[in-house]
PDB file of all heavy atoms in Angstrom:
ATOM      1  N   ASN A 207      -9.747  -1.706 -30.539  1.00 94.00           N
ATOM      2  CA  ASN A 207     -10.346  -0.784 -29.455  1.00 94.00           C
ATOM      3  C   ASN A 207     -10.736  -1.746 -28.323  1.00 94.00           C
ATOM      4  O   ASN A 207     -11.913  -2.028 -28.133  1.00 94.00           O
ATOM      5  CB  ASN A 207     -11.517   0.026 -29.970  1.00 94.00           C
ATOM      6  CG  ASN A 207     -11.126   0.981 -31.031  1.00 94.00           C
ATOM      7  OD1 ASN A 207     -10.283   1.852 -30.831  1.00 94.00           O
ATOM      8  ND2 ASN A 207     -11.802   0.875 -32.190  1.00 94.00           N
ATOM      9  N   PRO A 208      -9.728  -2.197 -27.480  1.00 95.00           N
ATOM     10  CA  PRO A 208     -10.054  -3.121 -26.383  1.00 95.00           C
ATOM     11  C   PRO A 208     -11.085  -2.542 -25.376  1.00 95.00           C
ATOM     12  O   PRO A 208     -10.829  -1.354 -25.023  1.00 95.00           O
ATOM     13  CB  PRO A 208      -8.700  -3.405 -25.740  1.00 95.00           C
ATOM     14  CG  PRO A 208      -7.871  -2.246 -26.193  1.00 95.00           C
ATOM     15  CD  PRO A 208      -8.340  -1.829 -27.518  1.00 95.00           C
ATOM     16  N   PRO A 209     -12.112  -3.315 -25.041  1.00 93.00           N
ATOM     17  CA  PRO A 209     -13.083  -2.771 -24.063  1.00 93.00           C
ATOM     18  C   PRO A 209     -12.570  -2.656 -22.637  1.00 93.00           C
ATOM     19  O   PRO A 209     -13.203  -1.912 -21.865  1.00 93.00           O
ATOM     20  CB  PRO A 209     -14.228  -3.792 -24.198  1.00 93.00           C
ATOM     21  CG  PRO A 209     -13.465  -5.091 -24.619  1.00 93.00           C
ATOM     22  CD  PRO A 209     -12.399  -4.635 -25.481  1.00 93.00           C
ATOM     23  N   ASN A 210     -11.533  -3.363 -22.393  1.00 95.00           N
ATOM     24  CA  ASN A 210     -10.960  -3.254 -20.961  1.00 95.00           C
ATOM     25  C   ASN A 210      -9.538  -3.778 -21.041  1.00 95.00           C
ATOM     26  O   ASN A 210      -9.004  -4.162 -22.127  1.00 95.00           O
ATOM     27  CB  ASN A 210     -11.771  -4.071 -19.992  1.00 95.00           C
ATOM     28  CG  ASN A 210     -11.964  -5.493 -20.366  1.00 95.00           C
ATOM     29  OD1 ASN A 210     -11.036  -6.178 -20.653  1.00 95.00           O
ATOM     30  ND2 ASN A 210     -13.211  -5.940 -20.501  1.00 95.00           N
ATOM     31  N   LEU A 211      -8.865  -3.749 -19.923  1.00 96.00           N
ATOM     32  CA  LEU A 211      -7.425  -3.998 -19.866  1.00 96.00           C
ATOM     33  C   LEU A 211      -7.127  -5.444 -20.194  1.00 96.00           C
ATOM     34  O   LEU A 211      -6.023  -5.817 -20.732  1.00 96.00           O
ATOM     35  CB  LEU A 211      -6.919  -3.783 -18.453  1.00 96.00           C
ATOM     36  CG  LEU A 211      -6.888  -2.317 -17.942  1.00 96.00           C
ATOM     37  CD1 LEU A 211      -6.572  -2.272 -16.506  1.00 96.00           C
ATOM     38  CD2 LEU A 211      -5.864  -1.537 -18.755  1.00 96.00           C
ATOM     39  N   PHE A 212      -8.070  -6.353 -20.016  1.00 95.00           N
ATOM     40  CA  PHE A 212      -7.924  -7.756 -20.416  1.00 95.00           C
ATOM     41  C   PHE A 212      -7.598  -7.964 -21.893  1.00 95.00           C
ATOM     42  O   PHE A 212      -6.908  -8.887 -22.212  1.00 95.00           O
ATOM     43  CB  PHE A 212      -9.119  -8.555 -19.957  1.00 95.00           C
ATOM     44  CG  PHE A 212      -8.960 -10.036 -20.001  1.00 95.00           C
ATOM     45  CD1 PHE A 212      -8.228 -10.681 -18.994  1.00 95.00           C
ATOM     46  CD2 PHE A 212      -9.515 -10.799 -20.971  1.00 95.00           C
ATOM     47  CE1 PHE A 212      -8.071 -12.084 -19.022  1.00 95.00           C
ATOM     48  CE2 PHE A 212      -9.414 -12.224 -20.977  1.00 95.00           C
ATOM     49  CZ  PHE A 212      -8.636 -12.795 -19.973  1.00 95.00           C
ATOM     50  N   PHE A 213      -8.121  -7.090 -22.719  1.00 95.00           N
ATOM     51  CA  PHE A 213      -7.942  -7.277 -24.137  1.00 95.00           C
ATOM     52  C   PHE A 213      -6.920  -6.358 -24.749  1.00 95.00           C
ATOM     53  O   PHE A 213      -6.847  -6.206 -25.982  1.00 95.00           O
ATOM     54  CB  PHE A 213      -9.271  -7.083 -24.885  1.00 95.00           C
ATOM     55  CG  PHE A 213     -10.315  -8.183 -24.454  1.00 95.00           C
ATOM     56  CD1 PHE A 213     -11.316  -7.885 -23.496  1.00 95.00           C
ATOM     57  CD2 PHE A 213     -10.205  -9.488 -24.958  1.00 95.00           C
ATOM     58  CE1 PHE A 213     -12.192  -8.852 -23.131  1.00 95.00           C
ATOM     59  CE2 PHE A 213     -11.120 -10.452 -24.558  1.00 95.00           C
ATOM     60  CZ  PHE A 213     -12.043 -10.129 -23.649  1.00 95.00           C
ATOM     61  N   THR A 214      -6.149  -5.634 -23.900  1.00 96.00           N
ATOM     62  CA  THR A 214      -5.042  -4.846 -24.409  1.00 96.00           C
ATOM     63  C   THR A 214      -3.940  -5.799 -24.852  1.00 96.00           C
ATOM     64  O   THR A 214      -3.894  -7.003 -24.554  1.00 96.00           O
ATOM     65  CB  THR A 214      -4.526  -3.876 -23.317  1.00 96.00           C
ATOM     66  OG1 THR A 214      -4.023  -4.708 -22.251  1.00 96.00           O
ATOM     67  CG2 THR A 214      -5.619  -2.962 -22.830  1.00 96.00           C
ATOM     68  N   GLU A 215      -2.967  -5.258 -25.554  1.00 96.00           N
ATOM     69  CA  GLU A 215      -1.803  -6.081 -26.056  1.00 96.00           C
ATOM     70  C   GLU A 215      -1.123  -6.693 -24.854  1.00 96.00           C
ATOM     71  O   GLU A 215      -0.746  -7.842 -24.883  1.00 96.00           O
ATOM     72  CB  GLU A 215      -0.782  -5.226 -26.833  1.00 96.00           C
ATOM     73  CG  GLU A 215       0.314  -5.978 -27.406  1.00 96.00           C
ATOM     74  CD  GLU A 215       1.201  -5.112 -28.274  1.00 96.00           C
ATOM     75  OE1 GLU A 215       0.850  -3.982 -28.565  1.00 96.00           O
ATOM     76  OE2 GLU A 215       2.296  -5.573 -28.695  1.00 96.00           O
ATOM     77  N   GLN A 216      -0.949  -5.950 -23.728  1.00 97.00           N
ATOM     78  CA  GLN A 216      -0.314  -6.545 -22.542  1.00 97.00           C
ATOM     79  C   GLN A 216      -1.146  -7.642 -21.991  1.00 97.00           C
ATOM     80  O   GLN A 216      -0.595  -8.674 -21.509  1.00 97.00           O
ATOM     81  CB  GLN A 216      -0.024  -5.444 -21.507  1.00 97.00           C
ATOM     82  CG  GLN A 216       0.736  -5.873 -20.323  1.00 97.00           C
ATOM     83  CD  GLN A 216       1.103  -4.768 -19.335  1.00 97.00           C
ATOM     84  OE1 GLN A 216       0.766  -3.626 -19.599  1.00 97.00           O
ATOM     85  NE2 GLN A 216       1.684  -5.135 -18.231  1.00 97.00           N
ATOM     86  N   GLY A 217      -2.481  -7.360 -21.881  1.00 97.00           N
ATOM     87  CA  GLY A 217      -3.306  -8.410 -21.342  1.00 97.00           C
ATOM     88  C   GLY A 217      -3.362  -9.669 -22.120  1.00 97.00           C
ATOM     89  O   GLY A 217      -3.341 -10.793 -21.595  1.00 97.00           O
ATOM     90  N   ARG A 218      -3.314  -9.568 -23.477  1.00 97.00           N
ATOM     91  CA  ARG A 218      -3.264 -10.766 -24.246  1.00 97.00           C
ATOM     92  C   ARG A 218      -1.955 -11.503 -24.137  1.00 97.00           C
ATOM     93  O   ARG A 218      -1.926 -12.691 -24.097  1.00 97.00           O
ATOM     94  CB  ARG A 218      -3.450 -10.383 -25.816  1.00 97.00           C
ATOM     95  CG  ARG A 218      -4.710  -9.686 -26.164  1.00 97.00           C
ATOM     96  CD  ARG A 218      -5.887 -10.695 -26.129  1.00 97.00           C
ATOM     97  NE  ARG A 218      -6.373 -10.913 -24.791  1.00 97.00           N
ATOM     98  CZ  ARG A 218      -6.981 -12.025 -24.380  1.00 97.00           C
ATOM     99  NH1 ARG A 218      -7.255 -13.001 -25.203  1.00 97.00           N
ATOM    100  NH2 ARG A 218      -7.419 -12.105 -23.105  1.00 97.00           N
ATOM    101  N   LYS A 219      -0.879 -10.757 -23.995  1.00 97.00           N
ATOM    102  CA  LYS A 219       0.427 -11.404 -23.813  1.00 97.00           C
ATOM    103  C   LYS A 219       0.485 -12.170 -22.472  1.00 97.00           C
ATOM    104  O   LYS A 219       0.866 -13.367 -22.398  1.00 97.00           O
ATOM    105  CB  LYS A 219       1.498 -10.344 -23.759  1.00 97.00           C
ATOM    106  CG  LYS A 219       2.990 -10.857 -23.612  1.00 97.00           C
ATOM    107  CD  LYS A 219       3.947  -9.767 -23.777  1.00 97.00           C
ATOM    108  CE  LYS A 219       5.416 -10.243 -23.593  1.00 97.00           C
ATOM    109  NZ  LYS A 219       5.707 -10.760 -22.284  1.00 97.00           N
ATOM    110  N   MET A 220      -0.077 -11.587 -21.451  1.00 98.00           N
ATOM    111  CA  MET A 220      -0.115 -12.272 -20.118  1.00 98.00           C
ATOM    112  C   MET A 220      -0.972 -13.472 -20.147  1.00 98.00           C
ATOM    113  O   MET A 220      -0.683 -14.460 -19.472  1.00 98.00           O
ATOM    114  CB  MET A 220      -0.522 -11.204 -19.055  1.00 98.00           C
ATOM    115  CG  MET A 220       0.410 -10.089 -18.822  1.00 98.00           C
ATOM    116  SD  MET A 220      -0.226  -8.848 -17.645  1.00 98.00           S
ATOM    117  CE  MET A 220      -0.231  -9.750 -16.159  1.00 98.00           C
ATOM    118  N   TRP A 221      -2.119 -13.346 -20.876  1.00 98.00           N
ATOM    119  CA  TRP A 221      -3.107 -14.455 -20.995  1.00 98.00           C
ATOM    120  C   TRP A 221      -2.368 -15.670 -21.648  1.00 98.00           C
ATOM    121  O   TRP A 221      -2.484 -16.831 -21.148  1.00 98.00           O
ATOM    122  CB  TRP A 221      -4.289 -14.025 -21.755  1.00 98.00           C
ATOM    123  CG  TRP A 221      -5.255 -15.161 -22.054  1.00 98.00           C
ATOM    124  CD1 TRP A 221      -5.616 -15.676 -23.227  1.00 98.00           C
ATOM    125  CD2 TRP A 221      -6.155 -15.727 -21.090  1.00 98.00           C
ATOM    126  NE1 TRP A 221      -6.569 -16.638 -23.096  1.00 98.00           N
ATOM    127  CE2 TRP A 221      -6.913 -16.668 -21.769  1.00 98.00           C
ATOM    128  CE3 TRP A 221      -6.362 -15.543 -19.755  1.00 98.00           C
ATOM    129  CZ2 TRP A 221      -7.892 -17.433 -21.139  1.00 98.00           C
ATOM    130  CZ3 TRP A 221      -7.303 -16.340 -19.127  1.00 98.00           C
ATOM    131  CH2 TRP A 221      -8.062 -17.285 -19.835  1.00 98.00           C
ATOM    132  N   GLY A 222      -1.672 -15.412 -22.748  1.00 98.00           N
ATOM    133  CA  GLY A 222      -0.969 -16.511 -23.401  1.00 98.00           C
ATOM    134  C   GLY A 222       0.151 -17.109 -22.556  1.00 98.00           C
ATOM    135  O   GLY A 222       0.250 -18.354 -22.503  1.00 98.00           O
ATOM    136  N   GLU A 223       0.869 -16.311 -21.831  1.00 98.00           N
ATOM    137  CA  GLU A 223       1.875 -16.803 -20.950  1.00 98.00           C
ATOM    138  C   GLU A 223       1.364 -17.656 -19.854  1.00 98.00           C
ATOM    139  O   GLU A 223       1.942 -18.611 -19.403  1.00 98.00           O
ATOM    140  CB  GLU A 223       2.738 -15.605 -20.354  1.00 98.00           C
ATOM    141  CG  GLU A 223       3.526 -14.916 -21.411  1.00 98.00           C
ATOM    142  CD  GLU A 223       4.202 -13.633 -20.911  1.00 98.00           C
ATOM    143  OE1 GLU A 223       3.820 -13.198 -19.765  1.00 98.00           O
ATOM    144  OE2 GLU A 223       5.139 -13.063 -21.582  1.00 98.00           O
ATOM    145  N   LEU A 224       0.152 -17.236 -19.286  1.00 98.00           N
ATOM    146  CA  LEU A 224      -0.447 -17.991 -18.188  1.00 98.00           C
ATOM    147  C   LEU A 224      -0.772 -19.419 -18.643  1.00 98.00           C
ATOM    148  O   LEU A 224      -0.380 -20.359 -17.937  1.00 98.00           O
ATOM    149  CB  LEU A 224      -1.772 -17.214 -17.828  1.00 98.00           C
ATOM    150  CG  LEU A 224      -2.574 -17.787 -16.685  1.00 98.00           C
ATOM    151  CD1 LEU A 224      -3.416 -16.656 -16.108  1.00 98.00           C
ATOM    152  CD2 LEU A 224      -3.473 -18.913 -17.062  1.00 98.00           C
ATOM    153  N   TRP A 225      -1.392 -19.535 -19.875  1.00 98.00           N
ATOM    154  CA  TRP A 225      -1.719 -20.887 -20.292  1.00 98.00           C
ATOM    155  C   TRP A 225      -0.515 -21.690 -20.835  1.00 98.00           C
ATOM    156  O   TRP A 225      -0.511 -22.905 -20.696  1.00 98.00           O
ATOM    157  CB  TRP A 225      -2.828 -20.786 -21.296  1.00 98.00           C
ATOM    158  CG  TRP A 225      -4.153 -20.622 -20.624  1.00 98.00           C
ATOM    159  CD1 TRP A 225      -4.992 -19.475 -20.742  1.00 98.00           C
ATOM    160  CD2 TRP A 225      -4.760 -21.476 -19.721  1.00 98.00           C
ATOM    161  NE1 TRP A 225      -6.064 -19.657 -19.837  1.00 98.00           N
ATOM    162  CE2 TRP A 225      -5.958 -20.895 -19.234  1.00 98.00           C
ATOM    163  CE3 TRP A 225      -4.462 -22.739 -19.209  1.00 98.00           C
ATOM    164  CZ2 TRP A 225      -6.754 -21.451 -18.368  1.00 98.00           C
ATOM    165  CZ3 TRP A 225      -5.296 -23.362 -18.311  1.00 98.00           C
ATOM    166  CH2 TRP A 225      -6.460 -22.726 -17.878  1.00 98.00           C
ATOM    167  N   GLN A 226       0.505 -21.022 -21.353  1.00 98.00           N
ATOM    168  CA  GLN A 226       1.720 -21.729 -21.732  1.00 98.00           C
ATOM    169  C   GLN A 226       2.323 -22.349 -20.459  1.00 98.00           C
ATOM    170  O   GLN A 226       2.674 -23.554 -20.490  1.00 98.00           O
ATOM    171  CB  GLN A 226       2.698 -20.732 -22.393  1.00 98.00           C
ATOM    172  CG  GLN A 226       2.457 -20.503 -23.812  1.00 98.00           C
ATOM    173  CD  GLN A 226       3.513 -19.666 -24.441  1.00 98.00           C
ATOM    174  OE1 GLN A 226       3.974 -18.656 -23.878  1.00 98.00           O
ATOM    175  NE2 GLN A 226       4.003 -19.973 -25.630  1.00 98.00           N
ATOM    176  N   ALA A 227       2.418 -21.587 -19.435  1.00 98.00           N
ATOM    177  CA  ALA A 227       3.028 -22.084 -18.177  1.00 98.00           C
ATOM    178  C   ALA A 227       2.178 -23.247 -17.579  1.00 98.00           C
ATOM    179  O   ALA A 227       2.746 -24.234 -17.089  1.00 98.00           O
ATOM    180  CB  ALA A 227       3.124 -20.973 -17.135  1.00 98.00           C
ATOM    181  N   TRP A 228       0.902 -23.088 -17.684  1.00 98.00           N
ATOM    182  CA  TRP A 228       0.006 -24.151 -17.074  1.00 98.00           C
ATOM    183  C   TRP A 228       0.195 -25.440 -17.888  1.00 98.00           C
ATOM    184  O   TRP A 228       0.427 -26.538 -17.290  1.00 98.00           O
ATOM    185  CB  TRP A 228      -1.456 -23.749 -17.165  1.00 98.00           C
ATOM    186  CG  TRP A 228      -2.353 -24.707 -16.446  1.00 98.00           C
ATOM    187  CD1 TRP A 228      -2.689 -24.740 -15.071  1.00 98.00           C
ATOM    188  CD2 TRP A 228      -3.027 -25.843 -17.030  1.00 98.00           C
ATOM    189  NE1 TRP A 228      -3.565 -25.782 -14.781  1.00 98.00           N
ATOM    190  CE2 TRP A 228      -3.803 -26.482 -15.991  1.00 98.00           C
ATOM    191  CE3 TRP A 228      -3.129 -26.377 -18.279  1.00 98.00           C
ATOM    192  CZ2 TRP A 228      -4.495 -27.607 -16.134  1.00 98.00           C
ATOM    193  CZ3 TRP A 228      -3.880 -27.504 -18.523  1.00 98.00           C
ATOM    194  CH2 TRP A 228      -4.575 -28.111 -17.442  1.00 98.00           C
ATOM    195  N   ALA A 229       0.054 -25.418 -19.194  1.00 98.00           N
ATOM    196  CA  ALA A 229       0.225 -26.608 -20.073  1.00 98.00           C
ATOM    197  C   ALA A 229       1.575 -27.217 -19.918  1.00 98.00           C
ATOM    198  O   ALA A 229       1.735 -28.437 -19.931  1.00 98.00           O
ATOM    199  CB  ALA A 229      -0.193 -26.291 -21.494  1.00 98.00           C
ATOM    200  N   ASN A 230       2.621 -26.347 -19.934  1.00 97.00           N
ATOM    201  CA  ASN A 230       4.000 -26.862 -19.898  1.00 97.00           C
ATOM    202  C   ASN A 230       4.388 -27.523 -18.646  1.00 97.00           C
ATOM    203  O   ASN A 230       5.393 -28.212 -18.578  1.00 97.00           O
ATOM    204  CB  ASN A 230       4.923 -25.717 -20.312  1.00 97.00           C
ATOM    205  CG  ASN A 230       4.772 -25.294 -21.687  1.00 97.00           C
ATOM    206  OD1 ASN A 230       4.239 -25.938 -22.582  1.00 97.00           O
ATOM    207  ND2 ASN A 230       5.305 -24.134 -21.974  1.00 97.00           N
ATOM    208  N   ALA A 231       3.573 -27.347 -17.529  1.00 98.00           N
ATOM    209  CA  ALA A 231       3.857 -28.025 -16.293  1.00 98.00           C
ATOM    210  C   ALA A 231       3.552 -29.531 -16.387  1.00 98.00           C
ATOM    211  O   ALA A 231       4.108 -30.294 -15.639  1.00 98.00           O
ATOM    212  CB  ALA A 231       2.968 -27.396 -15.149  1.00 98.00           C
ATOM    213  N   PHE A 232       2.783 -29.928 -17.408  1.00 98.00           N
ATOM    214  CA  PHE A 232       2.411 -31.302 -17.577  1.00 98.00           C
ATOM    215  C   PHE A 232       3.584 -31.984 -18.446  1.00 98.00           C
ATOM    216  O   PHE A 232       3.970 -31.370 -19.451  1.00 98.00           O
ATOM    217  CB  PHE A 232       1.123 -31.529 -18.345  1.00 98.00           C
ATOM    218  CG  PHE A 232      -0.073 -31.255 -17.496  1.00 98.00           C
ATOM    219  CD1 PHE A 232      -0.547 -29.932 -17.286  1.00 98.00           C
ATOM    220  CD2 PHE A 232      -0.814 -32.312 -16.930  1.00 98.00           C
ATOM    221  CE1 PHE A 232      -1.660 -29.712 -16.485  1.00 98.00           C
ATOM    222  CE2 PHE A 232      -1.922 -32.063 -16.159  1.00 98.00           C
ATOM    223  CZ  PHE A 232      -2.335 -30.797 -15.913  1.00 98.00           C
ATOM    224  N   PRO A 233       4.074 -33.157 -18.041  1.00 98.00           N
ATOM    225  CA  PRO A 233       5.055 -33.808 -18.833  1.00 98.00           C
ATOM    226  C   PRO A 233       4.647 -34.040 -20.221  1.00 98.00           C
ATOM    227  O   PRO A 233       5.434 -33.965 -21.201  1.00 98.00           O
ATOM    228  CB  PRO A 233       5.186 -35.146 -18.066  1.00 98.00           C
ATOM    229  CG  PRO A 233       4.930 -34.834 -16.687  1.00 98.00           C
ATOM    230  CD  PRO A 233       3.775 -33.861 -16.800  1.00 98.00           C
ATOM    231  N   GLN A 234       3.305 -34.159 -20.525  1.00 98.00           N
ATOM    232  CA  GLN A 234       2.786 -34.415 -21.860  1.00 98.00           C
ATOM    233  C   GLN A 234       1.930 -33.215 -22.251  1.00 98.00           C
ATOM    234  O   GLN A 234       0.962 -33.397 -23.058  1.00 98.00           O
ATOM    235  CB  GLN A 234       1.992 -35.689 -21.931  1.00 98.00           C
ATOM    236  CG  GLN A 234       2.744 -36.985 -21.527  1.00 98.00           C
ATOM    237  CD  GLN A 234       1.888 -38.170 -21.637  1.00 98.00           C
ATOM    238  OE1 GLN A 234       1.510 -38.601 -22.675  1.00 98.00           O
ATOM    239  NE2 GLN A 234       1.581 -38.723 -20.455  1.00 98.00           N
ATOM    240  N   GLY A 235       2.250 -31.993 -21.776  1.00 98.00           N
ATOM    241  CA  GLY A 235       1.493 -30.886 -22.077  1.00 98.00           C
ATOM    242  C   GLY A 235       1.909 -30.169 -23.320  1.00 98.00           C
ATOM    243  O   GLY A 235       3.072 -30.194 -23.721  1.00 98.00           O
ATOM    244  N   LYS A 236       0.981 -29.437 -23.945  1.00 98.00           N
ATOM    245  CA  LYS A 236       1.269 -28.670 -25.149  1.00 98.00           C
ATOM    246  C   LYS A 236       0.313 -27.400 -25.181  1.00 98.00           C
ATOM    247  O   LYS A 236      -0.887 -27.545 -24.881  1.00 98.00           O
ATOM    248  CB  LYS A 236       0.960 -29.494 -26.416  1.00 98.00           C
ATOM    249  CG  LYS A 236       1.165 -28.743 -27.749  1.00 98.00           C
ATOM    250  CD  LYS A 236       0.800 -29.611 -28.964  1.00 98.00           C
ATOM    251  CE  LYS A 236       0.981 -28.814 -30.252  1.00 98.00           C
ATOM    252  NZ  LYS A 236       0.615 -29.669 -31.421  1.00 98.00           N
ATOM    253  N   SER A 237       0.924 -26.304 -25.450  1.00 98.00           N
ATOM    254  CA  SER A 237       0.175 -25.038 -25.579  1.00 98.00           C
ATOM    255  C   SER A 237       0.161 -24.501 -26.997  1.00 98.00           C
ATOM    256  O   SER A 237       1.220 -24.608 -27.640  1.00 98.00           O
ATOM    257  CB  SER A 237       0.697 -24.064 -24.607  1.00 98.00           C
ATOM    258  OG  SER A 237       2.012 -23.731 -24.901  1.00 98.00           O
TER     259      SER A 237
END
Side-chain angles (χ1 to χ4, degrees):
N207 297 301
N210 55 55
L211 294 171
F212 191 75
F213 296 102
T214 61
E215 184 175 350
Q216 186 177 357
R218 297 290 79 205
K219 181 176 182 292
M220 294 173 69
W221 178 249
E223 290 172 347
L224 184 156
W225 280 113
Q226 278 185 317
W228 188 88
N230 292 343
F232 285 82
Q234 302 179 70
K236 178 183 181 182
S237 59

